[in-house]
Amino acid sequence: MDSLTRVVADEQETRQLAERLATFLLPGDTLCLKGDLGAGKTTFTRYLTAALGATSPVSSPTFTLIHEYQGGRLPIYHVDAYRLRGADDAVGTGIEDYFFRNDGVVMLEWSERIEEILPLNRLELALEEINPPGESRRITITARGSRWLALVKQWLEHPDSC
Ligand SMILES: Nc1ncnc2c1ncn2[C@@H]1O[C@H](COP(=O)(O)OP(=O)(O)O)[C@@H](O)[C@H]1O
Ligand SMILES: [Mg+2]
């Protein structure tokens, strides 16, 4: 099994999950955030960035493809692929360079738009509203590649640890 599902009751619990995940992050990690508009991808990124200690707030980068946040334990590269029509569209934007920098964490919203160019090792978080417009969300966490398998396995065996 390389995937687990968590239900968070409210935004506070989303924050707790982001804070927990932040403690495991290493330079070169890629987190892919999937889900419809309003599911909470930017919100999750904001909490994770804060947990890593970056001082600047994360705004939605919908109109800017890549935002960098420095000043924390690791730099964060927040990418929003919403406006890309596909992987071909990503060529020339510089997104791929971030996958190979290996010095920070890439947080990628709408990763499904550019599936073909994603790094092999990545953690996917799919967010779904359960009772819109309520605060509960189903979050499905999937390990892609060996980097994340052990962690997801540990979370499956010890749900309290995530
Ligand atoms: N459990 C939750 N997790 C994340 N966001 C939540 C939650 N409950 C309510 N929200 C709200 O839902 C909205 C999510 O918006 P946003 O993070 O911009 O979504 P996306 O980036 O997926 O389009 C925010 O207004 C946020 O405050
Ligand atoms: Mg967003």
Side-chain angles (χ1 to χ4, degrees):
M1 251 326 240
D2 56 4
S3 155
L4 72 145
T5 299
R6 283 281 308 268
V7 171
V8 294
D10 54 27
E11 198 170 319
Q12 280 299 97
E13 288 191 12
T14 297
R15 181 175 60 78
Q16 285 164 10
L17 185 65
E19 287 173 353
R20 186 76 190 135
L21 185 56
T23 66
F24 294 101
L25 292 175
L26 299 172
D29 282 344
T30 301
L31 300 183
C32 293
L33 295 152
K34 301 164 107 170
D36 292 339
L37 276 175
K41 303 178 293 298
T42 301
T43 300
F44 189 92
T45 300
R46 188 183 326 118
Y47 288 132
L48 193 128
T49 303
L52 287 176
T55 40
S56 43
V58 177
S59 53
S60 174
T62 298
F63 299 102
T64 312
L65 202 57
I66 301 161
H67 282 182
E68 295 193 16
Y69 295 89
Q70 304 282 348
R73 178 169 77 79
L74 294 167
I76 296 236
Y77 308 117
H78 181 198
V79 183
D80 194 329
Y82 180 65
R83 294 164 81 77
L84 298 179
R85 284 182 312 255
D88 287 352
D89 228 12
V91 174
T93 62
I95 286 183
E96 284 168 290
D97 299 341
Y98 285 85
F99 296 143
F100 297 105
R101 283 181 71 135
N102 285 325
D103 64 344
V105 174
V106 175
M107 304 282 301
L108 177 58
E109 293 189 47
W110 295 98
S111 59
E112 56 270 52
R113 303 252 155 130
I114 55 168
E115 194 84 35
E116 298 91 329
I117 61 166
L118 297 179
L120 195 66
N121 279 301
R122 58 192 196 267
L123 190 70
E124 284 182 4
L125 297 114
L127 291 87
E128 293 165 77
E129 288 186 272
I130 297 176
N131 296 307
E135 290 198 19
S136 55
R137 301 286 190 271
R138 183 178 301 109
I139 305 182
T140 304
I141 303 175
T142 304
R144 306 271 181 210
S146 56
R147 156 76 180 107
W148 294 103
L149 269 180
L151 188 63
V152 166
K153 232 175 230 155
Q154 181 197 324
W155 282 346
L156 279 169
E157 285 160 17
H158 307 283
D160 291 347
S161 68
C162 78

PDB file of all heavy atoms in Angstrom, residues 49-50 52-58 66-78 98 101 103-105:
ATOM      1  N   THR A  49       4.551  26.321   4.708  1.00  0.00           N
ATOM      2  CA  THR A  49       5.601  27.332   4.597  1.00  0.00           C
ATOM      3  C   THR A  49       5.847  27.991   5.951  1.00  0.00           C
ATOM      4  O   THR A  49       6.998  28.183   6.360  1.00  0.00           O
ATOM      5  CB  THR A  49       5.198  28.377   3.535  1.00  0.00           C
ATOM      6  OG1 THR A  49       4.975  27.690   2.311  1.00  0.00           O
ATOM      7  CG2 THR A  49       6.276  29.417   3.334  1.00  0.00           C
ATOM      8  N   ALA A  50       4.780  28.294   6.649  1.00  0.00           N
ATOM      9  CA  ALA A  50       4.918  28.890   7.982  1.00  0.00           C
ATOM     10  C   ALA A  50       5.622  27.924   8.928  1.00  0.00           C
ATOM     11  O   ALA A  50       6.475  28.324   9.727  1.00  0.00           O
ATOM     12  CB  ALA A  50       3.540  29.269   8.533  1.00  0.00           C
ATOM     13  N   LEU A  52       7.805  25.760   8.226  1.00  0.00           N
ATOM     14  CA  LEU A  52       9.237  25.716   7.923  1.00  0.00           C
ATOM     15  C   LEU A  52       9.931  27.009   8.319  1.00  0.00           C
ATOM     16  O   LEU A  52      11.146  27.118   8.205  1.00  0.00           O
ATOM     17  CB  LEU A  52       9.462  25.430   6.436  1.00  0.00           C
ATOM     18  CG  LEU A  52       9.180  23.998   5.977  1.00  0.00           C
ATOM     19  CD1 LEU A  52       9.340  23.877   4.469  1.00  0.00           C
ATOM     20  CD2 LEU A  52      10.104  23.008   6.681  1.00  0.00           C
ATOM     21  N   GLY A  53       9.160  27.982   8.728  1.00  0.00           N
ATOM     22  CA  GLY A  53       9.742  29.208   9.261  1.00  0.00           C
ATOM     23  C   GLY A  53       9.957  30.315   8.250  1.00  0.00           C
ATOM     24  O   GLY A  53      10.584  31.322   8.568  1.00  0.00           O
ATOM     25  N   ALA A  54       9.453  30.153   7.047  1.00  0.00           N
ATOM     26  CA  ALA A  54       9.594  31.239   6.066  1.00  0.00           C
ATOM     27  C   ALA A  54       8.797  32.438   6.562  1.00  0.00           C
ATOM     28  O   ALA A  54       7.682  32.283   7.067  1.00  0.00           O
ATOM     29  CB  ALA A  54       9.112  30.797   4.692  1.00  0.00           C
ATOM     30  N   THR A  55       9.381  33.606   6.418  1.00  0.00           N
ATOM     31  CA  THR A  55       8.775  34.774   7.033  1.00  0.00           C
ATOM     32  C   THR A  55       7.683  35.413   6.172  1.00  0.00           C
ATOM     33  O   THR A  55       6.722  35.956   6.688  1.00  0.00           O
ATOM     34  CB  THR A  55       9.853  35.813   7.376  1.00  0.00           C
ATOM     35  OG1 THR A  55      10.781  35.843   6.296  1.00  0.00           O
ATOM     36  CG2 THR A  55      10.553  35.442   8.663  1.00  0.00           C
ATOM     37  N   SER A  56       7.828  35.321   4.857  1.00  0.00           N
ATOM     38  CA  SER A  56       6.851  35.995   4.003  1.00  0.00           C
ATOM     39  C   SER A  56       5.608  35.134   3.830  1.00  0.00           C
ATOM     40  O   SER A  56       5.699  33.922   3.691  1.00  0.00           O
ATOM     41  CB  SER A  56       7.478  36.284   2.635  1.00  0.00           C
ATOM     42  OG  SER A  56       8.213  35.165   2.207  1.00  0.00           O
ATOM     43  N   PRO A  57       4.443  35.745   3.841  1.00  0.00           N
ATOM     44  CA  PRO A  57       3.218  34.964   3.663  1.00  0.00           C
ATOM     45  C   PRO A  57       3.078  34.459   2.231  1.00  0.00           C
ATOM     46  O   PRO A  57       3.524  35.107   1.302  1.00  0.00           O
ATOM     47  CB  PRO A  57       2.111  35.963   3.992  1.00  0.00           C
ATOM     48  CG  PRO A  57       2.706  37.289   3.745  1.00  0.00           C
ATOM     49  CD  PRO A  57       4.181  37.177   3.987  1.00  0.00           C
ATOM     50  N   VAL A  58       2.469  33.296   2.082  1.00  0.00           N
ATOM     51  CA  VAL A  58       2.236  32.756   0.747  1.00  0.00           C
ATOM     52  C   VAL A  58       0.927  33.298   0.205  1.00  0.00           C
ATOM     53  O   VAL A  58      -0.125  33.092   0.787  1.00  0.00           O
ATOM     54  CB  VAL A  58       2.163  31.214   0.780  1.00  0.00           C
ATOM     55  CG1 VAL A  58       1.844  30.664  -0.601  1.00  0.00           C
ATOM     56  CG2 VAL A  58       3.461  30.642   1.293  1.00  0.00           C
ATOM     57  N   ILE A  66       5.581  30.888 -10.345  1.00  0.00           N
ATOM     58  CA  ILE A  66       6.460  30.371  -9.288  1.00  0.00           C
ATOM     59  C   ILE A  66       6.748  31.461  -8.260  1.00  0.00           C
ATOM     60  O   ILE A  66       7.141  32.568  -8.620  1.00  0.00           O
ATOM     61  CB  ILE A  66       7.802  29.885  -9.883  1.00  0.00           C
ATOM     62  CG1 ILE A  66       7.553  28.788 -10.925  1.00  0.00           C
ATOM     63  CG2 ILE A  66       8.733  29.369  -8.767  1.00  0.00           C
ATOM     64  CD1 ILE A  66       8.701  28.563 -11.873  1.00  0.00           C
ATOM     65  N   HIS A  67       6.502  31.143  -6.996  1.00  0.00           N
ATOM     66  CA  HIS A  67       6.871  32.051  -5.906  1.00  0.00           C
ATOM     67  C   HIS A  67       7.918  31.354  -5.042  1.00  0.00           C
ATOM     68  O   HIS A  67       7.754  30.190  -4.689  1.00  0.00           O
ATOM     69  CB  HIS A  67       5.656  32.384  -5.035  1.00  0.00           C
ATOM     70  CG  HIS A  67       4.752  33.402  -5.639  1.00  0.00           C
ATOM     71  ND1 HIS A  67       3.622  33.870  -5.004  1.00  0.00           N
ATOM     72  CD2 HIS A  67       4.801  34.043  -6.814  1.00  0.00           C
ATOM     73  CE1 HIS A  67       3.021  34.760  -5.774  1.00  0.00           C
ATOM     74  NE2 HIS A  67       3.715  34.876  -6.872  1.00  0.00           N
ATOM     75  N   GLU A  68       8.946  32.102  -4.675  1.00  0.00           N
ATOM     76  CA  GLU A  68       9.979  31.537  -3.803  1.00  0.00           C
ATOM     77  C   GLU A  68       9.837  32.126  -2.410  1.00  0.00           C
ATOM     78  O   GLU A  68       9.604  33.327  -2.254  1.00  0.00           O
ATOM     79  CB  GLU A  68      11.375  31.885  -4.336  1.00  0.00           C
ATOM     80  CG  GLU A  68      11.672  31.264  -5.667  1.00  0.00           C
ATOM     81  CD  GLU A  68      13.152  31.350  -6.029  1.00  0.00           C
ATOM     82  OE1 GLU A  68      13.979  31.614  -5.129  1.00  0.00           O
ATOM     83  OE2 GLU A  68      13.466  31.154  -7.202  1.00  0.00           O
ATOM     84  N   TYR A  69       9.981  31.292  -1.408  1.00  0.00           N
ATOM     85  CA  TYR A  69       9.933  31.752  -0.022  1.00  0.00           C
ATOM     86  C   TYR A  69      11.196  31.317   0.685  1.00  0.00           C
ATOM     87  O   TYR A  69      11.482  30.117   0.773  1.00  0.00           O
ATOM     88  CB  TYR A  69       8.682  31.210   0.687  1.00  0.00           C
ATOM     89  CG  TYR A  69       7.463  31.794   0.050  1.00  0.00           C
ATOM     90  CD1 TYR A  69       6.869  31.168  -1.028  1.00  0.00           C
ATOM     91  CD2 TYR A  69       6.988  33.033   0.452  1.00  0.00           C
ATOM     92  CE1 TYR A  69       5.790  31.742  -1.673  1.00  0.00           C
ATOM     93  CE2 TYR A  69       5.912  33.614  -0.178  1.00  0.00           C
ATOM     94  CZ  TYR A  69       5.324  32.964  -1.243  1.00  0.00           C
ATOM     95  OH  TYR A  69       4.273  33.547  -1.891  1.00  0.00           O
ATOM     96  N   GLN A  70      11.941  32.283   1.150  1.00  0.00           N
ATOM     97  CA  GLN A  70      13.223  32.029   1.813  1.00  0.00           C
ATOM     98  C   GLN A  70      13.101  32.394   3.286  1.00  0.00           C
ATOM     99  O   GLN A  70      12.110  32.927   3.728  1.00  0.00           O
ATOM    100  CB  GLN A  70      14.320  32.894   1.155  1.00  0.00           C
ATOM    101  CG  GLN A  70      14.454  32.703  -0.354  1.00  0.00           C
ATOM    102  CD  GLN A  70      15.208  31.447  -0.746  1.00  0.00           C
ATOM    103  OE1 GLN A  70      15.847  30.800   0.089  1.00  0.00           O
ATOM    104  NE2 GLN A  70      15.129  31.072  -2.015  1.00  0.00           N
ATOM    105  N   GLY A  71      14.154  32.098   4.008  1.00  0.00           N
ATOM    106  CA  GLY A  71      14.214  32.555   5.403  1.00  0.00           C
ATOM    107  C   GLY A  71      13.797  31.506   6.403  1.00  0.00           C
ATOM    108  O   GLY A  71      13.820  31.742   7.611  1.00  0.00           O
ATOM    109  N   GLY A  72      13.396  30.339   5.928  1.00  0.00           N
ATOM    110  CA  GLY A  72      13.002  29.262   6.834  1.00  0.00           C
ATOM    111  C   GLY A  72      14.022  28.133   6.835  1.00  0.00           C
ATOM    112  O   GLY A  72      15.127  28.284   6.311  1.00  0.00           O
ATOM    113  N   ARG A  73      13.665  27.016   7.428  1.00  0.00           N
ATOM    114  CA  ARG A  73      14.575  25.870   7.487  1.00  0.00           C
ATOM    115  C   ARG A  73      14.982  25.421   6.083  1.00  0.00           C
ATOM    116  O   ARG A  73      16.110  24.981   5.871  1.00  0.00           O
ATOM    117  CB  ARG A  73      13.883  24.713   8.233  1.00  0.00           C
ATOM    118  CG  ARG A  73      14.712  23.449   8.327  1.00  0.00           C
ATOM    119  CD  ARG A  73      14.104  22.434   9.287  1.00  0.00           C
ATOM    120  NE  ARG A  73      12.958  21.687   8.779  1.00  0.00           N
ATOM    121  CZ  ARG A  73      13.035  20.643   7.940  1.00  0.00           C
ATOM    122  NH1 ARG A  73      14.205  20.231   7.512  1.00  0.00           N
ATOM    123  NH2 ARG A  73      11.940  20.025   7.553  1.00  0.00           N
ATOM    124  N   LEU A  74      14.043  25.497   5.137  1.00  0.00           N
ATOM    125  CA  LEU A  74      14.308  25.159   3.734  1.00  0.00           C
ATOM    126  C   LEU A  74      13.617  26.197   2.867  1.00  0.00           C
ATOM    127  O   LEU A  74      12.544  26.673   3.221  1.00  0.00           O
ATOM    128  CB  LEU A  74      13.697  23.790   3.391  1.00  0.00           C
ATOM    129  CG  LEU A  74      14.265  22.543   4.062  1.00  0.00           C
ATOM    130  CD1 LEU A  74      13.318  21.358   3.845  1.00  0.00           C
ATOM    131  CD2 LEU A  74      15.640  22.223   3.498  1.00  0.00           C
ATOM    132  N   PRO A  75      14.236  26.528   1.708  1.00  0.00           N
ATOM    133  CA  PRO A  75      13.481  27.383   0.783  1.00  0.00           C
ATOM    134  C   PRO A  75      12.279  26.627   0.222  1.00  0.00           C
ATOM    135  O   PRO A  75      12.312  25.405   0.090  1.00  0.00           O
ATOM    136  CB  PRO A  75      14.472  27.688  -0.348  1.00  0.00           C
ATOM    137  CG  PRO A  75      15.690  26.900  -0.087  1.00  0.00           C
ATOM    138  CD  PRO A  75      15.560  26.177   1.214  1.00  0.00           C
ATOM    139  N   ILE A  76      11.219  27.360  -0.066  1.00  0.00           N
ATOM    140  CA  ILE A  76      10.032  26.761  -0.672  1.00  0.00           C
ATOM    141  C   ILE A  76       9.834  27.378  -2.050  1.00  0.00           C
ATOM    142  O   ILE A  76       9.912  28.602  -2.210  1.00  0.00           O
ATOM    143  CB  ILE A  76       8.775  27.043   0.166  1.00  0.00           C
ATOM    144  CG1 ILE A  76       8.914  26.379   1.524  1.00  0.00           C
ATOM    145  CG2 ILE A  76       7.522  26.587  -0.557  1.00  0.00           C
ATOM    146  CD1 ILE A  76       7.808  25.445   1.885  1.00  0.00           C
ATOM    147  N   TYR A  77       9.582  26.528  -3.014  1.00  0.00           N
ATOM    148  CA  TYR A  77       9.249  26.973  -4.354  1.00  0.00           C
ATOM    149  C   TYR A  77       7.805  26.578  -4.607  1.00  0.00           C
ATOM    150  O   TYR A  77       7.488  25.399  -4.741  1.00  0.00           O
ATOM    151  CB  TYR A  77      10.198  26.341  -5.383  1.00  0.00           C
ATOM    152  CG  TYR A  77      11.638  26.549  -5.002  1.00  0.00           C
ATOM    153  CD1 TYR A  77      12.480  25.475  -4.705  1.00  0.00           C
ATOM    154  CD2 TYR A  77      12.154  27.842  -4.884  1.00  0.00           C
ATOM    155  CE1 TYR A  77      13.791  25.684  -4.322  1.00  0.00           C
ATOM    156  CE2 TYR A  77      13.471  28.056  -4.490  1.00  0.00           C
ATOM    157  CZ  TYR A  77      14.280  26.976  -4.213  1.00  0.00           C
ATOM    158  OH  TYR A  77      15.572  27.178  -3.818  1.00  0.00           O
ATOM    159  N   HIS A  78       6.966  27.569  -4.598  1.00  0.00           N
ATOM    160  CA  HIS A  78       5.519  27.320  -4.709  1.00  0.00           C
ATOM    161  C   HIS A  78       5.103  27.557  -6.156  1.00  0.00           C
ATOM    162  O   HIS A  78       5.187  28.675  -6.655  1.00  0.00           O
ATOM    163  CB  HIS A  78       4.788  28.266  -3.747  1.00  0.00           C
ATOM    164  CG  HIS A  78       3.306  28.109  -3.740  1.00  0.00           C
ATOM    165  ND1 HIS A  78       2.467  29.069  -3.239  1.00  0.00           N
ATOM    166  CD2 HIS A  78       2.509  27.106  -4.164  1.00  0.00           C
ATOM    167  CE1 HIS A  78       1.206  28.655  -3.360  1.00  0.00           C
ATOM    168  NE2 HIS A  78       1.215  27.470  -3.917  1.00  0.00           N
ATOM    169  N   TYR A  98      13.311  23.694 -11.244  1.00  0.00           N
ATOM    170  CA  TYR A  98      13.073  23.584  -9.801  1.00  0.00           C
ATOM    171  C   TYR A  98      13.061  22.135  -9.338  1.00  0.00           C
ATOM    172  O   TYR A  98      13.422  21.841  -8.216  1.00  0.00           O
ATOM    173  CB  TYR A  98      11.755  24.282  -9.419  1.00  0.00           C
ATOM    174  CG  TYR A  98      11.904  25.783  -9.419  1.00  0.00           C
ATOM    175  CD1 TYR A  98      11.750  26.516 -10.584  1.00  0.00           C
ATOM    176  CD2 TYR A  98      12.231  26.460  -8.247  1.00  0.00           C
ATOM    177  CE1 TYR A  98      11.909  27.890 -10.590  1.00  0.00           C
ATOM    178  CE2 TYR A  98      12.398  27.833  -8.240  1.00  0.00           C
ATOM    179  CZ  TYR A  98      12.231  28.549  -9.422  1.00  0.00           C
ATOM    180  OH  TYR A  98      12.392  29.902  -9.423  1.00  0.00           O
ATOM    181  N   ARG A 101      16.768  21.244  -8.556  1.00  0.00           N
ATOM    182  CA  ARG A 101      17.606  22.123  -7.731  1.00  0.00           C
ATOM    183  C   ARG A 101      18.118  21.424  -6.487  1.00  0.00           C
ATOM    184  O   ARG A 101      19.227  21.691  -6.036  1.00  0.00           O
ATOM    185  CB  ARG A 101      16.815  23.375  -7.318  1.00  0.00           C
ATOM    186  CG  ARG A 101      16.703  24.373  -8.437  1.00  0.00           C
ATOM    187  CD  ARG A 101      15.945  25.583  -7.959  1.00  0.00           C
ATOM    188  NE  ARG A 101      16.768  26.347  -7.009  1.00  0.00           N
ATOM    189  CZ  ARG A 101      16.885  27.663  -7.044  1.00  0.00           C
ATOM    190  NH1 ARG A 101      16.253  28.341  -7.952  1.00  0.00           N
ATOM    191  NH2 ARG A 101      17.617  28.283  -6.151  1.00  0.00           N
ATOM    192  N   ASP A 103      17.693  21.866  -3.454  1.00  0.00           N
ATOM    193  CA  ASP A 103      18.078  22.643  -2.272  1.00  0.00           C
ATOM    194  C   ASP A 103      16.869  23.076  -1.449  1.00  0.00           C
ATOM    195  O   ASP A 103      17.021  23.616  -0.361  1.00  0.00           O
ATOM    196  CB  ASP A 103      18.904  23.881  -2.680  1.00  0.00           C
ATOM    197  CG  ASP A 103      18.098  24.855  -3.531  1.00  0.00           C
ATOM    198  OD1 ASP A 103      17.029  24.462  -4.056  1.00  0.00           O
ATOM    199  OD2 ASP A 103      18.535  26.009  -3.684  1.00  0.00           O
ATOM    200  N   GLY A 104      15.707  22.831  -1.959  1.00  0.00           N
ATOM    201  CA  GLY A 104      14.511  23.262  -1.230  1.00  0.00           C
ATOM    202  C   GLY A 104      13.354  22.322  -1.489  1.00  0.00           C
ATOM    203  O   GLY A 104      13.538  21.211  -1.981  1.00  0.00           O
ATOM    204  N   VAL A 105      12.167  22.789  -1.157  1.00  0.00           N
ATOM    205  CA  VAL A 105      10.964  21.976  -1.319  1.00  0.00           C
ATOM    206  C   VAL A 105      10.079  22.617  -2.386  1.00  0.00           C
ATOM    207  O   VAL A 105       9.799  23.813  -2.327  1.00  0.00           O
ATOM    208  CB  VAL A 105      10.183  21.894   0.016  1.00  0.00           C
ATOM    209  CG1 VAL A 105       8.854  21.172  -0.174  1.00  0.00           C
ATOM    210  CG2 VAL A 105      11.021  21.192   1.074  1.00  0.00           C
TER     211      VAL A 105
END
